[in-house]
Amino acid sequence: MTVLLIALGAALGAPLRYLTDRAVQARHDSPFPWGTLTVNVAGSLLLGAVTAIPAAPAVTALLGTGFCGALTTWSTLSYETLRLTREGARFHAVANALASVVAGLGAAALGYALAHALTG
């Protein structure tokens, strides 16, 4: 049952990641990967909140592992950072890596704090 919940969450998270990435990136005329940053920060915020609430393992599997796991994308972050470096956009590459880690950790901490405050 847990595997099915993870698959269901992933089936929702992956298309949402793609659609959000494309929608955000279409609004920016920049080599910086704003779409990937957006989904990674949003997913980190949600995962922080999910970990703060006392939820059943099934909910954690569906939302945390499945949905957030498919919504966020470390591999695309890595690829885009490498692509920017190869294209000579070193500033954007460093900014992408730093912003993603700092904003992702900050969003996870914020999500945790907000959910803990609301449920605690």
Side-chain angles (χ1 to χ4, degrees):
M1 184 61 167
T2 301
V3 172
L4 293 175
L5 290 169
I6 292 169
L8 176 62
L12 298 171
L16 182 60
R17 175 187 67 202
Y18 175 78
L19 293 171
T20 303
D21 175 62
R22 296 294 86 210
V24 170
Q25 204 59 42
R27 299 186 194 299
H28 297 278
D29 186 26
S30 166
F32 190 85
W34 290 107
T36 301
L37 179 64
T38 301
V39 295
N40 285 345
V41 171
S44 295
L45 179 75
L46 179 59
L47 187 57
V50 167
T51 59
I53 44 181
V59 173
T60 302
L62 175 72
L63 293 177
T65 305
F67 185 77
C68 290
L71 178 64
T72 60
T73 172
W74 182 260
S75 59
T76 303
L77 162 66
S78 301
Y79 163 76
E80 289 172 342
T81 302
L82 181 59
R83 177 185 54 79
L84 289 166
T85 302
R86 287 184 174 167
E87 292 173 357
R90 287 187 173 79
F91 172 79
H92 286 101
V94 171
N96 185 43
L98 289 176
S100 295
V101 172
V102 171
L105 288 172
L110 179 62
Y112 184 91
L114 288 173
H116 186 69
L118 294 172
T119 62

